[in-house]
Amino acid sequence: MKQNDFIATHNDFWNELEQILQTGNINSLGKEQRRQLPHSYRRVCHHLSLAQLRNYSPALQNRLNRIALQGHQLFYARKSRFLQDAGRFFAVDFPRSVRAHKYYVLVSALVFFGPLIALLVAITNDPTIAYAVIDPETAEVYKEMYGERGTIKDETAVGMFGYYIWNNVSIALRTFAMGLVFGLGAIFILLFNGTYIGAVAGLLTTAGLGNNFWPFVAGHGAFELTAIVLAGASGMKIGFALLIPGLNSRRQALKNAAQAALPMIYGFVMLLILAAAIEAFWSPNAWFSNLTRYAIGVTLWVLVIAYLLFGGRGQESRG
Amino acid sequence: MLDTRIKVQTPEGIELALSPAGLLPRCLARLIDTALKAAVYLLLLLIANLLLGDIAPVFIYLGAFAIYWLYDLLFETRNNGRTPGKAVMGIRVVNSNGAPVTLSTSVIRNLLRVVDFLPLMYLLGAASTLLTHTFQRLGDIVAGTYVVYAHGDHEMLSRDNRMEKPLPLSLRAVDHQAIMLFDERISALSEERVNEIAGLLGGHISGTPAEIRAQLQAHARWLTGGSA
């Protein structure tokens, strides 16, 4: 069959199918159109195949390619199931994913908490070390901030909630992304934050403000610090895939690693939102004694760790 | 036919061709999106500060967060792989199997913008786009996505087949394709370019450029011919 005869035979069908595909959304099709779609799609695939085989002109092949591609996109579009699966995600997938990456999480925790604790201990012994990390002016700002309880409450809590989301979630997401730089980006951010937080904690404790600082951070620490560690772990995961792709190509190894890290990413974002709410609405308030607030802080640490260690065990994997 | 095409196998056993979008349309799309983001943010600042008073900060911070991290993600997953900038430039994001971008791949490619942006102004992403034959920035490579033209190239189907002329010699299939492609693209090319290509393509024909061109078109008609 010559090309023009081929076109004359099928042109009406193509025009009609193009009209239907123009909508680009399966939900806006009528019932009959939806029933016809698989058949029409296969038919145009067949036509494209014939056009390629018979060496029909590039214009015709392009047109059929475009129709088949639009059909393919409509036909194979996947509905996102994330929201429907949210329950299962929190109960099973997130803690499982953390355990599946336990070595990354442990290394990340070491890189973050190592300098934090080291600096805290060092500064307790020699308070001047704090000024190696924080310049004196900034140190004064921190001291003032935690000087009296009232100064924190002056900010409207809702506004601080927004600030914590913007600031903390952004830092964590950036930690993941920077992991692509051979894992070094993530490690650097972890080291930097561990060092800085350790220095601030040491500075305030040695300045005699520990009774304001520690009860404040006790509430949200479990969520926020865990989230930072997980962000570092997810970043190292992709950096490691780039360095040591194993039996896969680097391209494929990166793809697999990023997909595998996704539950941790969704998870640490959720932890940080929780932390922001606590930090904004609970932490600045002194409704309870410091002892109660420490107890709550410790309880939350135990709960978070238990959740990540035991959540979703014994459940069938979705595969 | 062009070597930049990405071939995708479908379950129906056919090969679809995707045309990846190069650096320029992608830069322009990003420029449009960035301008739009900035405009929305300024509008938010204005409205929040004028009308909301004490609770303005929370809207500004959450708004900034949404504009910075969620804008591309929401448009790509809700609008068939197209942010407003991409829609204007006629490009879209697809998964490596040619299907529309999904939530998980969109999340990954948009988070990794941070790295593509390094050291400034998307230099790393631009380098990666230029160095990969599939025109992918780093985020695209890790997510497994392509940015492709939403529509194919030229299309011209109706052909007057009265003056058709058989080819005097036997040619390979690619040469047939070249002759037909020449005929189909004539309207999109300048006169000089048409004559230049006609000279290259019709090496066996003697005559003025116009005569060569007419004869090539007659061959093209013969190739596509039929009763229509």
Side-chain angles (χ1 to χ4, degrees):
Chain A
M1 191 185 265
K2 283 263 191 174
Q3 172 169 334
N4 283 344
D5 291 330
F6 188 68
I7 294 172
T9 316
H10 301 297
N11 205 21
D12 289 344
F13 164 67
W14 296 333
N15 287 335
E16 200 181 318
L17 188 56
E18 268 175 337
Q19 285 284 313
I20 293 173
L21 294 175
Q22 209 70 61
T23 62
N25 187 348
I26 200 106
N27 295 321
S28 56
L29 300 182
K31 200 177 172 195
E32 185 56 27
Q33 285 176 325
R34 226 182 293 183
R35 221 168 51 79
Q36 277 292 319
L37 184 66
H39 176 71
S40 308
Y41 170 57
R42 295 193 74 131
R43 192 162 159 212
V44 83
C45 286
H46 177 64
H47 290 163
L48 173 60
S49 223
L50 283 177
Q52 288 169 348
L53 192 72
R54 293 173 181 168
N55 271 309
Y56 286 154
S57 81
L60 179 60
Q61 288 195 30
N62 274 336
R63 182 178 181 205
L64 290 174
N65 185 74
R66 182 173 54 69
I67 301 174
L69 185 62
Q70 283 179 347
H72 180 254
Q73 297 202 323
L74 196 63
F75 203 66
Y76 289 99
R78 266 199 314 184
K79 263 195 113 154
S80 156
R81 301 192 313 175
F82 179 64
L83 280 180
Q84 290 94 313
D85 290 356
R88 177 172 169 98
F89 173 77
F90 293 133
V92 181
D93 292 346
F94 173 41
R96 261 171 183 256
S97 167
V98 173
R99 286 198 299 277
H101 300 104
K102 54 175 177 272
Y103 294 116
Y104 293 99
V105 176
L106 285 176
V107 170
S108 176
L110 209 66
V111 173
F112 177 66
F113 283 114
L116 195 161
I117 293 169
L119 224 67
L120 188 57
V121 171
I123 293 170
T124 318
N125 290 325
D126 176 7
T128 55
I129 294 177
Y131 295 98
V133 180
I134 311 167
D135 68 277
E137 281 169 35
T138 318
E140 285 312 308
V141 174
Y142 277 111
K143 283 185 195 169
E144 205 175 304
M145 208 154 78
Y146 289 92
E148 348 159 14
R149 284 277 166 81
T151 47
I152 292 168
K153 278 202 256 177
D154 277 343
E155 301 275 352
T156 50
V158 194
M160 287 315 283
F161 173 70
Y163 173 75
Y164 295 138
I165 295 274
W166 161 244
N167 189 56
N168 299 353
V169 181
S170 295
I171 289 174
L173 291 175
R174 228 169 258 134
T175 308
F176 159 72
M178 293 302 287
L180 187 60
V181 190
F182 309 107
L184 293 176
I187 291 175
F188 174 78
I189 298 178
L190 283 175
L191 278 176
F192 177 81
N193 279 299
T195 310
Y196 203 80
I197 294 173
V200 172
L203 173 84
L204 295 174
T205 309
T206 50
L209 298 169
N211 276 336
N212 290 349
F213 174 74
W214 291 106
F216 175 78
V217 296
H220 56 268
F223 298 111
E224 194 167 304
L225 302 184
T226 308
I228 294 175
V229 167
L230 293 182
S234 60
M236 284 184 200
K237 168 94 182 166
I238 51 171
F240 198 69
L242 182 63
L243 281 176
I244 305 170
L247 294 176
N248 291 314
S249 65
R250 286 212 154 69
R251 231 166 221 274
Q252 190 60 43
L254 277 172
K255 261 173 90 167
N256 295 349
Q259 284 294 334
L262 262 183
M264 283 203 288
I265 298 172
Y266 295 143
F268 74 63
V269 170
M270 175 200 79
L271 286 178
L272 283 173
I273 293 172
L274 216 57
I278 297 174
E279 188 171 0
F281 301 114
W282 163 265
S283 300
N285 290 306
W287 300 322
F288 297 99
S289 70
N290 283 351
L291 195 65
T292 319
R293 297 169 81 193
Y294 289 137
I296 289 170
V298 171
T299 312
L300 287 176
W301 269 110
V302 172
L303 284 177
V304 168
I305 291 171
Y307 165 62
L308 294 179
L309 280 182
F310 302 109
R313 274 192 199 272
Q315 302 276 327
E316 284 280 333
S317 171
R318 190 171 55 195
Chain B
M1 199 131 134
L2 297 170
D3 57 359
T4 54
R5 292 280 183 91
I6 303 166
K7 301 277 185 179
V8 178
Q9 291 264 359
T10 75
E12 288 74 25
I14 56 161
E15 241 182 18
L16 294 175
L18 303 170
S19 313
L23 190 58
L24 188 63
R26 297 185 61 170
C27 283
L28 293 175
R30 183 89 323 237
L31 219 57
I32 295 170
D33 282 329
T34 307
L36 211 58
K37 286 185 194 185
V40 172
Y41 183 66
L42 288 178
L43 203 67
L44 176 78
L45 275 184
L46 199 70
I47 292 174
N49 282 325
L50 284 180
L51 302 178
L52 296 171
D54 277 353
I55 53 164
V58 69
F59 285 95
I60 291 169
Y61 285 126
L62 292 182
F65 183 82
I67 292 166
Y68 192 89
W69 292 106
L70 302 178
Y71 169 97
D72 298 286
L73 180 68
L74 284 178
F75 277 114
E76 281 177 14
T77 50
R78 295 274 138 206
N79 194 25
N80 226 332
R82 285 168 303 190
T83 59
K86 289 191 180 76
V88 171
M89 297 309 299
I91 59 181
R92 75 195 316 174
V93 187
V94 295
N95 278 351
S96 54
N97 64 355
V101 70
T102 46
L103 179 72
S104 57
T105 48
S106 186
V107 166
I108 293 170
R109 78 181 291 280
N110 285 311
L111 285 183
L112 290 173
R113 275 183 194 289
V114 174
V115 183
D116 278 308
F117 189 82
L118 295 175
L120 73 161
M121 305 287 280
Y122 284 101
L123 271 182
L124 206 54
S128 168
T129 307
L130 290 174
L131 290 174
T132 49
H133 67 285
T134 45
F135 300 165
Q136 289 171 296
R137 63 174 176 84
L138 297 172
D140 287 321
I141 293 174
V142 178
T145 50
Y146 302 120
V147 177
V148 300
Y149 284 105
H151 293 296
D153 324 311
H154 68 286
E155 281 174 20
M156 190 204 81
L157 289 169
S158 59
R159 226 188 222 111
D160 181 4
N161 63 329
R162 270 165 302 173
M163 312 226 324
E164 64 181 48
K165 184 171 182 181
L167 276 169
L169 62 172
S170 134
L171 294 172
R172 291 170 306 160
V174 280
D175 300 320
H176 290 179
Q177 291 280 306
I179 291 172
M180 290 188 284
L181 185 59
F182 170 70
D183 182 34
E184 281 159 355
R185 292 195 60 192
I186 277 182
S187 60
L189 300 171
S190 70
E191 192 64 30
E192 293 78 13
R193 183 75 178 138
V194 169
N195 290 338
E196 186 189 352
I197 297 174
L200 292 170
L201 201 56
H204 65 289
I205 307 165
S206 52
T208 64
E211 281 165 9
I212 300 175
R213 168 183 164 176
Q215 194 165 342
L216 283 170
Q217 286 188 283
H219 289 326
R221 287 190 201 103
W222 178 74
L223 284 168
T224 57
S227 54

